[in-house]
Amino acid sequence: MTTTDAPVRLLLADDHPVVRAGLRAVLETEPDFTIAADVPTAEAAVDLAGRLEVDVVLMDLQFGGRMLGVQATAEITARPGAPRVLVLTTYDSDADILAAIEAGATGYLLKDAPPEELAAAVRTAAAGKSALAPTIALRLMDRMRTPATALSRRETEVLQLVADGLSNAKISKQLFLSQATVKSHLVHIYAKLGVDSRTSAVAAATARGLIRR
Amino acid sequence: MTTTDAPVRLLLADDHPVVRAGLRAVLETEPDFTIAADVPTAEAAVDLAGRLEVDVVLMDLQFGGRMLGVQATAEITARPGAPRVLVLTTYDSDADILAAIEAGATGYLLKDAPPEELAAAVRTAAAGKSALAPTIALRLMDRMRTPATALSRRETEVLQLVADGLSNAKISKQLFLSQATVKSHLVHIYAKLGVDSRTSAVAAATARGLIRR
DNA sequence: CCCGGCATCAATCAAAAGGTGGAGCGGCGG
DNA sequence: CCGCCGCTCCACCTTTTGATTGATGCCGGG
């Protein structure tokens, strides 16, 4: 589709004008990069990613407080001949990283990355290879190595509702479970996180980026 | 000290290279702005704010995950003939805003602000007037108007520890209180937030930006 | 094919948290 | 000066949560 030596065509998607300007400034200095467009919404990113011929989309995860980046990533990568999507966000939460990768992201970077790292990641992504920030890579390794810290899908789901302030009764109704099951999940969650109460579980999980907040 | 029509000299302090580049790009287009320097740490900001002759410091609150911006702001504004400090951050939490203002910040902006708003705020700050983002101003008004949502200092303190996952027993020890007092505070907190459990209190307070994280 | 992890549910007891009502003290402003 | 509010504490009772033990069905890998 695109030869490796041709300029890399970029689409920037971030709701912060300052960040878009910053990315432009940082990436425009690279002679082999061309910035096709920058957009402030996830919808515009999905739209332009299809209509413009771009190689890499730099995608933020949060748009105006909402987490629309993941859906946008999924929609973009679902199409045939889709560009690579490089997720660029402020937070390094396990949940976000996994979600982004599952949605088809080629890489995951943090916004505090130095310009060189950013440019390198874009080139890596353009070449179709996976680009993970060192911090992220470490976290994933950690997660693999100690599966104890990794909560199961269902457990994460329950814990998220706990973090939202729901009681066991409410959670059981919301998930169509018995309270016994909710309690059971919580026992396992506490064991994995090394805590003994719902509030400390939420605190620990938030600190480790296991749940959203 | 500085005549009002002279160029406004700026110092940018933010740990994200991309944001610094973005701010440069956005503010350099204003003919009456001069960017004296940009720094990636709070320490450097304090240092240069004293040695360079700048009019306004654009200060981030988070530096590498730490909240050093408030201290830096306090140190800068404490000196005689200090420049104005304009806090520019991602989050709009009540606690952060109040802390920044108490530390002597002249204004408080969100990073998702459009460039014009940013430039306007810088001019306002340079003129010595207070510059608050509309969202922030609204929040503060709200806080004033409905003191019900405003937690007292002590209540906020207790709730923060709850959010950190501590039990009532731990909280009472940490704050040198009886458990009765902690419970009493919690009852008031629940009433003010319209909730009935610690987890939902944390959720509500986090959503309203009453507590950190 | 069988084991282990995941998800589901039950029963019971102990502990923590929440609800209610009351009370004393110190500061600040009308 | 007095009342209000924030902060502190007590006692009693109810509800929720946590701890323990145990059981069932499903699914996927060795």
Side-chain angles (χ1 to χ4, degrees):
Chain A
M1 200 115 288
T2 319
T3 51
T4 42
D5 281 316
V8 180
R9 291 175 57 82
L10 292 170
L11 173 62
L12 312 179
D14 197 301
D15 57 335
H16 293 188
V18 170
V19 173
R20 288 203 305 278
L23 289 174
R24 277 205 107 98
V26 163
L27 296 172
E28 265 172 351
T29 63
E30 305 291 327
D32 53 333
F33 289 177
T34 308
I35 295 166
D38 63 287
V39 293
T41 67
E43 293 77 20
V46 172
D47 181 33
L48 287 189
R51 301 204 283 108
L52 263 48
E53 279 237 337
V54 296
D55 303 305
V56 178
V57 180
L58 271 182
M59 172 76 72
D60 190 12
L61 283 187
Q62 297 89 28
F63 283 90
R66 295 275 168 277
M67 296 282 301
L68 304 168
V70 175
Q71 278 111 310
T73 301
E75 287 186 42
I76 291 173
T77 56
R79 292 191 286 239
R84 312 289 177 176
V85 176
L86 203 48
V87 167
L88 178 73
T89 189
T90 312
Y91 310 102
D92 54 343
S93 107
D94 270 31
D96 292 350
I97 299 170
L98 269 298
I101 293 180
E102 277 175 25
T106 303
Y108 197 104
L109 294 177
L110 294 180
K111 278 185 187 169
D112 57 4
E116 318 83 58
E117 195 176 319
L118 224 166
V122 170
R123 288 201 186 84
T124 309
K129 284 179 287 190
S130 178
L132 291 182
T135 321
I136 305 298
L138 276 178
R139 176 188 290 280
L140 282 184
M141 300 299 281
D142 237 47
R143 192 191 160 91
M144 301 305 197
R145 203 179 317 114
T146 55
T149 31
L151 300 181
S152 74
R153 179 173 300 266
R154 198 57 157 172
E155 285 162 357
T156 307
E157 203 171 352
V158 169
L159 187 53
Q160 182 63 57
L161 292 178
V162 170
D164 291 343
L166 302 200
S167 67
N168 290 349
K170 295 268 185 65
I171 295 174
S172 68
K173 277 173 199 158
Q174 180 127 2
L175 298 180
F176 303 106
L177 295 176
S178 76
Q179 291 200 37
T181 305
V182 175
K183 283 185 156 198
S184 179
H185 283 308
L186 285 177
V187 166
H188 296 145
I189 292 169
Y190 298 160
K192 287 182 179 177
L193 296 181
V195 298
D196 57 359
S197 78
R198 52 218 283 112
T199 41
S200 50
V202 170
T206 305
R208 299 187 205 177
L210 266 40
I211 53 174
R212 181 170 25 92
R213 172 64 67 95
Chain B
M1 202 122 282
T2 318
T3 50
T4 41
D5 279 316
V8 181
R9 293 175 55 82
L10 292 170
L11 172 62
L12 312 179
D14 196 302
D15 58 334
H16 293 189
V18 170
V19 174
R20 289 202 306 279
L23 289 174
R24 276 204 109 98
V26 164
L27 296 173
E28 265 172 352
T29 64
E30 305 291 327
D32 53 334
F33 289 176
T34 308
I35 295 166
D38 64 286
V39 293
T41 66
E43 293 78 20
V46 173
D47 181 33
L48 288 189
R51 302 204 282 109
L52 263 48
E53 279 236 336
V54 295
D55 303 303
V56 176
V57 180
L58 271 182
M59 172 76 73
D60 190 14
L61 285 187
Q62 298 91 29
F63 284 90
R66 296 274 169 275
M67 295 284 302
L68 304 170
V70 175
Q71 278 110 312
T73 300
E75 287 186 43
I76 291 173
T77 54
R79 293 191 286 241
R84 313 291 178 175
V85 176
L86 201 49
V87 167
L88 178 74
T89 189
T90 311
Y91 310 101
D92 55 342
S93 109
D94 270 30
D96 291 350
I97 299 170
L98 269 297
I101 292 178
E102 277 174 27
T106 303
Y108 196 102
L109 293 177
L110 294 181
K111 277 185 188 168
D112 58 6
E116 318 82 58
E117 197 175 296
L118 225 166
V122 170
R123 288 201 186 86
T124 309
K129 285 179 287 189
S130 178
L132 291 182
T135 321
I136 305 298
L138 276 179
R139 177 188 290 280
L140 281 185
M141 298 303 281
D142 237 46
R143 191 191 162 91
M144 301 305 195
R145 200 178 319 114
T146 54
T149 28
L151 300 181
S152 74
R153 180 174 300 264
R154 199 56 158 172
E155 285 162 356
T156 307
E157 203 172 350
V158 169
L159 188 52
Q160 182 63 57
L161 292 179
V162 170
D164 291 343
L166 302 199
S167 66
N168 290 349
K170 295 267 184 64
I171 295 173
S172 68
K173 278 174 198 158
Q174 180 125 0
L175 298 180
F176 304 104
L177 295 176
S178 78
Q179 291 200 35
T181 306
V182 175
K183 283 185 160 198
S184 179
H185 283 308
L186 285 176
V187 167
H188 296 145
I189 292 169
Y190 298 161
K192 286 182 179 177
L193 297 180
V195 298
D196 58 359
S197 78
R198 38 179 63 243
T199 42
S200 50
V202 170
T206 305
R208 300 187 204 178
L210 267 39
I211 53 175
R212 186 167 18 92
R213 196 190 20 133

